[in-house]
Amino acid sequence: MMKFLIFLTLLLVGGWIIEYLLRKTFNVKKNGYIYKPINLLHKRLEWTLLGLLFISIILFSKYTFLIVLLYLVILNLFRGFMEWLFARDKREYIITLLFMIIYLLFVAITYFLFVSFDFIPPFH
């Protein structure tokens, strides 16, 4: 359990450092700590995705880890697309899509490192 907590701490600190470096490299300003949708359509579709997440978890509770992972991928792809489509000049979509790739790698590493300790249920 201690190894897992140390790994999560390193993951969070590494995420902050990577975000800082990416924002500095691509000259993208941070707009606050809470994500703000681009427009009303974006907001409504994100809420719809969230509703689908809860329904999917209720219907397919055996696959909760996989459903949440898939939701995060779809959400970040959608956010990246909306940012690219409606706010291309801010270049926030670059950070969103790169972070999705980085976190997918971290999730894969975490799964393969800690699945044997039953912290994360294996896929069935």
Side-chain angles (χ1 to χ4, degrees):
M1 181 69 168
M2 191 64 172
K3 288 182 185 179
F4 185 69
L5 293 175
I6 291 170
F7 182 78
L8 282 180
T9 304
L10 291 174
L11 180 71
L12 288 173
V13 172
W16 286 328
I17 292 170
I18 290 171
E19 181 182 9
Y20 174 78
L21 293 174
L22 286 174
R23 287 188 182 280
K24 193 169 184 141
T25 302
F26 292 108
N27 196 24
V28 178
K29 295 177 183 164
K30 191 163 180 139
N31 296 331
Y33 293 102
I34 298 175
Y35 185 79
K36 295 177 184 149
I38 303 297
N39 55 28
L40 187 59
L41 173 66
H42 183 195
K43 185 177 185 177
R44 287 182 179 167
L45 288 175
E46 278 202 14
W47 279 102
T48 303
L49 284 173
L50 186 63
L52 288 173
L53 169 70
F54 289 128
I55 291 169
S56 298
I57 288 174
I58 291 169
L59 293 177
F60 307 105
S61 61
K62 183 177 180 181
Y63 303 104
T64 302
F65 178 75
L66 186 60
I67 290 170
V68 171
L69 183 62
L70 185 63
Y71 167 75
L72 291 174
V73 169
I74 291 170
L75 178 68
N76 280 301
L77 284 173
F78 176 69
R79 280 184 177 178
F81 176 71
M82 293 299 279
E83 291 165 353
W84 174 78
L85 192 62
F86 293 110
R88 196 174 302 179
D89 55 328
K90 292 182 182 179
R91 299 179 0 170
E92 184 73 32
Y93 67 94
I94 297 170
I95 306 296
T96 301
L97 295 176
L98 285 175
F99 251 88
M100 181 194 65
I101 293 167
I102 291 167
Y103 276 121
L104 277 176
L105 290 173
F106 282 137
V107 165
I109 291 167
T110 304
Y111 182 78
F112 289 116
L113 285 178
F114 296 103
V115 73
S116 62
F117 299 115
D118 293 327
F119 291 122
I120 302 170
F123 300 125
H124 288 104

